[in-house]
Amino acid sequence: FQAPVHKESSTLRYLSMPFEPKPLDYIFNGTDNSVKQPNKSRFKNPIIFIQSDKNLGFAVGNNLGIKYALAKNDFKYIWLLNNDTVISRNALSAIVAYARNFNSGITGSKLQSYYCPDKVQAYGGHVNKFFGNAKHILDANQLDKCLDYIVGASFLISKEVIDGIGLLPEDYFLYYEDVDYCFNARKNGFNIGVALNSIVYHKEGVSTGAHSLRKLRSELSDVLCLKNRIKFHKKYLGGGLGLYFGLMIAFAYRLLVGQWINIEKVLFRSH
């Protein structure tokens, strides 16, 4: 079965369907939520698959891979890359070169829309320190004064950062983990930056139905964003008047567009 190709993304087929001789070498490691020690393989550079028996969220899944890498202890950087992306051919070399040249503890790529490849999706992210809402930066000229976090779709972490502050925070399930981790890293003296010549094309929102072409977020996506905004604000921004004033504005908008059920789930239900 071959999935239909969106008409606006057909120009990326040369990136999304590169020729690789088959079969590919791989190792399948683990059937539960723990990570075993690296297996010895007759292959020099096999693909490693690590299986979890539960979906415990973005951070837990990525931390499984990070733990595996830490057990091998043969790396200087770890690149977290979303599975709904395709990359330019020099995306990895460019992001690593930037991290080395600018002593960047966490480094991001220039994210462009998979469906509209000429459209910038994000250079990074900015957080309103009063309301606590996170927003993508769409103008590269704003990076020097507005960059607060690296968007998790392409997220290069140096080993020094992992040794210094540990793994990704696992209490968000989805959304704001990248924001939290960058705030924690910067608080501990690490730099963050964006490699503008590392290009990653991102579909966005595939896991939650929060598709970039939708006018409104999916219910799951919206509820998680609001809940995690509350959690992040209380952790880093004080959880004061700005949080509650911002939520009143957010709730009023959702009432206006008929998403009142999302308000109920944020206030009265756990996810």
Side-chain angles (χ1 to χ4, degrees):
F1 173 76
Q2 183 173 350
V5 177
H6 194 286
K7 65 180 181 180
E8 294 176 336
S9 64
S10 59
T11 57
L12 299 180
R13 286 180 65 84
Y14 77 102
L15 294 177
S16 59
M17 299 184 67
F19 173 76
E20 293 291 340
K22 305 297 189 299
L24 298 175
D25 297 337
Y26 71 92
I27 294 176
F28 188 86
N29 192 42
T31 57
D32 55 24
N33 211 33
S34 62
V35 176
K36 302 174 183 177
Q37 290 293 321
N39 297 325
K40 291 185 177 180
S41 170
R42 60 188 178 87
F43 307 124
K44 183 178 180 181
N45 293 302
I47 300 171
I48 310 298
F49 291 97
I50 303 174
Q51 178 179 332
S52 173
D53 61 348
K54 296 179 181 179
N55 178 11
L56 297 176
F58 177 86
V60 174
N62 280 296
N63 284 343
L64 285 173
I66 295 174
K67 290 174 185 177
Y68 183 94
L70 287 170
K72 292 189 68 175
N73 195 30
D74 61 354
F75 70 95
K76 293 183 179 179
Y77 299 96
I78 287 180
W79 191 24
L80 306 183
L81 184 68
N82 275 21
N83 62 345
D84 59 344
T85 60
V86 297
I87 66 173
S88 58
R89 297 190 185 278
N90 70 327
L92 178 56
S93 59
I95 199 173
V96 170
Y98 180 98
R100 288 174 174 168
N101 293 338
F102 294 95
N103 191 30
S104 178
I106 303 175
T107 311
S109 301
K110 176 183 177 183
L111 300 179
Q112 296 186 197
S113 170
Y114 175 86
Y115 298 104
C116 304
D118 293 330
K119 180 181 178 181
V120 173
Q121 192 179 87
Y123 288 102
H126 174 69
V127 175
N128 184 305
K129 307 305 189 299
F130 184 66
F131 294 127
N133 57 305
K135 185 178 181 180
H136 287 176
I137 296 173
L138 301 178
D139 182 354
N141 294 321
Q142 299 295 313
L143 285 173
D144 288 341
K145 64 179 182 178
C146 292
L147 182 64
D148 291 320
Y149 68 93
I150 302 304
V151 179
S154 176
F155 202 80
L156 186 81
I157 315 172
S158 70
K159 190 171 187 299
E160 287 80 7
V161 169
I162 297 172
D163 290 340
I165 68 173
L167 302 175
L168 299 176
E170 297 186 351
D171 53 344
Y172 291 94
F173 188 79
L174 190 63
Y175 301 126
Y176 274 86
E177 307 95 327
D178 47 4
V179 187
D180 183 304
Y181 201 68
C182 288
F183 267 64
N184 192 14
R186 295 180 75 185
K187 184 178 69 174
N188 284 276
F190 295 102
N191 300 320
I192 67 173
V194 177
L196 297 180
N197 57 342
S198 172
I199 310 298
V200 171
Y201 300 93
H202 184 209
K203 293 181 181 179
E204 192 177 31
V206 171
S207 298
T208 62
H211 196 286
S212 60
L213 298 181
R214 291 170 58 101
K215 292 183 178 180
L216 295 176
R217 288 181 178 272
S218 69
E219 181 182 297
L220 174 62
S221 172
D222 191 48
V223 170
L224 287 173
C225 280
L226 288 171
K227 285 190 172 186
N228 291 344
R229 173 176 165 182
I230 296 170
K231 190 175 298 183
F232 172 81
H233 200 298
K234 290 181 176 179
K235 184 174 180 180
Y236 288 99
L237 304 176
L241 180 63
L243 171 61
Y244 298 102
F245 187 55
L247 287 176
M248 288 175 60
I249 297 173
F251 290 165
Y253 172 75
R254 281 151 183 81
L255 287 173
L256 184 65
V257 298
Q259 292 184 319
W260 59 268
I261 190 66
N262 297 11
I263 301 174
E264 179 189 349
K265 289 189 174 183
V266 170
L267 294 177
F268 304 113
R269 304 184 196 178
S270 60
H271 63 270

